[in-house]
Amino acid sequence: LLIAPPVARHLWGSLADEMNLREVVRELPFGDIDLEVLSARDDLAPHSAVITPSLDYEVDGADMPALVLPPPATVRIALPDFEGTLWLTARTGIDHSVFREASAGEFEGTRVRFRLAVNGDAAAEEELDVASLGVDQGVQQGSPWVDATGEDGIPLRGGDVLELSTVLLDAQGERVSAEPLACGFGGLTLERRTRVRRTRPSPERPNIVLVVMDTQRADRLSTYGYDRETSPRLTELAARGILYEETYSTASWTWPSTASILTGLHPQVHGVGSERSCYLAPSLVTLPEALQRVGYTTAAFSANPLIVPTKNFDQGFESFEHGRGAFRQTDLLLPAILEWIEAVRETRFFLYVQLTDPHVPLVPLPEGRERFAADVEDEFSPYMIARAGRALRATHGRNEDGTLNPDAIVGPDVQRKIHQQYDACTWTGDHYVGRIIDQLAALGLAEETVVAYTSDHGEEIFEHGLAEHGKQLYSELVRVPLVLAGPGVPRGVRVPHPVSNRHIAPTLARIAGADLPGLEDALDLVRPEAHGDAADDGVLFSTEQGWWNGRTSQTILGLRRGDWVLHFAPSGAGWGEEVARPDGDWRLFDLAGDPGERIDRAAENPDLARELREELVRRVGELAAQRVRPGVAAGEATLELLHDIGYLGD
């Protein structure tokens, strides 16, 4: 913390008048370019897969889509004609599983030579030691990815021919044979580079600050009517802007919802949905990319270990500050955030901040604890809600009819303390948002900066039997706050009709005078009077990590239309049924008479339930047909992280 501000001032205090704009034109070999295999092993051919050089998130070796070339192997890629110059970027890596074999002597003294040639001439070459690269003081850590093409990449012209090869060498540099070895080139992309001039802010084309308060329920904010004053600073912000009373996240957990916030797309389109598909496609145009094109200086600060560059969430950001492998408290990020704002105040900027104060572990500021959780013992575990959630999902604590009974896992007193801790952390997050707003005011930027505040999802605290998030679609999980304030935004407006958080990106792009393609149906959130019939079309939300009557890893789809909400599990079944029902299973709720979604009305309204189900299936099918490309699954590093932070079971 003592070092960060001076370093930030050095890095950000001397911004050039122009910045590099990087546009991914193609991903290799995942696009439509033919790949010719010149030589390969008989037992394992070149193929596309995810490689994980290291399971340790402190090492830059996390999962990445790769062209796997088990040595010896050589492939050729003939590029089509195109105008100008494209730049090739690539990394080399060896999957961490190889190091276990190496430690047993399988690859003792060997190394892999990676070679990249253009039109027959060597353009890049790297050698990685198989036996020792993944060992540090006797601990098996794996290795980082190695940049094979340098900071600028390799320039290519239309019609150029690439050759990529691997070969296994012994200590004397002689070729040797061994079992198939998982290694290859990761992050193969062709980029177009242009220079864009930085611009200055004005009330007509303002700065933009987007705050995503991870895991923040709308109904636990005093701004939304909660009876404890948990969000005084957000209330001040809402008083000078627009508050949407019924905003829904596109999903009930981080990856898919955050991808929607940054792209304006439903999860069925952007493809980020679960550990089976968790890599944001480079071909997508994100909000920061669109803003860069019109001269915005961009930066992101993420306290969530899922929102990181290794999953391609850094598209369009000049700088991306993030942690590896753990949630970080805001006090570790705030000094650099405030310093960055000061350093770039002369330019028009986009600041993205994803804070995690209401997320497990629930660690509030002392003042927040004193205000909202004074009787919670110091030794009370901040992970209690996570432990309870895992126990409930593991079929403990059930009544005879299968309904969940959290009281059997954690008693009412413990539940009360968890609620208090959550409130204290909500206040803590609000306090830090206030610090950011104060910095804008202190620098004279308040009247030329639009601030947007939202969340990626909420948190279930035993209301429907479970704890944490991602497993169900009740309102405590998908109803999130949304406030916009700043120049050009109407003041003191509260909008009652439901909207989706996917409308945030296209709205902010319009404010900036930028364009996000393919979002013609998006609402302009600063002009609620223009929504018209679109406000009645219904809002979609979903999860691919669902829990339905004891069945795990279920896809659950949700639709709110008017006061009715349908939850539909396409592969769902009733409690105790071992086989999924042919048409799936669903629940119907009437928010007008049952805002807590306690009573399933499907049996007494079968026609309405079936109508909403058919509409939901139709709309999701139409969205899935627009999907960018097949998703890239998580590798072992990501799976281990997901398990550690509670998203996956054993």
Side-chain angles (χ1 to χ4, degrees), residues 74-120:
T74 303
V75 298
R76 175 184 293 159
I77 301 172
L79 300 180
D81 290 332
F82 52 80
E83 294 183 1
T85 301
L86 297 182
W87 299 83
L88 174 69
T89 64
R91 298 181 183 185
T92 59
I94 302 174
D95 192 78
H96 78 99
S97 60
V98 174
F99 302 131
R100 291 195 295 265
E101 300 166 5
S103 64
E106 175 70 21
F107 295 100
E108 186 66 36
T110 62
R111 61 187 186 275
V112 178
R113 176 183 293 165
F114 300 84
R115 187 174 185 271
L116 195 156
V118 180
N119 301 326

Side-chain angles (χ1 to χ4, degrees), residues 14 46 102 110 112 175-176 244 294 444 545 562 626:
S14 57
T110 62
V112 178
R175 294 191 176 202
V176 293
Y244 277 85
V294 294
Q545 302 276 55
Q626 304 170 36

Side-chain angles (χ1 to χ4, degrees), residues 59 84 138 169 203 214 246 356 396 458 466 476 587 612 644:
V59 177
L169 307 174
D214 205 299
E246 300 290 333
T356 58
H396 302 299
L466 293 181
E476 60 267 22
R587 299 167 187 150
L612 293 177
D644 290 345

Side-chain angles (χ1 to χ4, degrees), residues 86 170 200 204 218 239 260 431:
L86 297 182
D170 63 15
R200 294 181 62 84
E204 294 73 31
S260 294
H431 167 81

Side-chain angles (χ1 to χ4, degrees), residues 114-185:
F114 300 84
R115 187 174 185 271
L116 195 156
V118 180
N119 301 326
D121 298 325
E125 189 171 292
E126 293 286 347
E127 290 189 4
L128 302 183
D129 190 323
V130 178
S132 62
L133 192 59
V135 180
D136 181 17
Q137 298 180 351
V139 179
Q140 206 75 36
Q141 290 180 309
S143 70
W145 285 98
V146 176
D147 189 347
T149 51
E151 183 176 349
D152 294 330
I154 297 173
L156 298 173
R157 309 285 294 186
D160 282 349
V161 177
L162 305 178
E163 287 190 7
L164 298 93
S165 64
T166 59
V167 63
L168 190 64
L169 307 174
D170 63 15
Q172 288 72 44
E174 299 294 328
R175 294 191 176 202
V176 293
S177 298
E179 293 297 312
L181 192 154
C183 64
F185 294 85

Side-chain angles (χ1 to χ4, degrees), residues 360 362 382-389 418 459-462 467-468:
V360 173
L362 297 173
Y383 293 95
M384 181 64 75
I385 188 172
R387 294 172 183 170
I418 291 172
E459 182 84 326
E460 182 177 358
I461 312 178
F462 310 114
E468 296 186 285

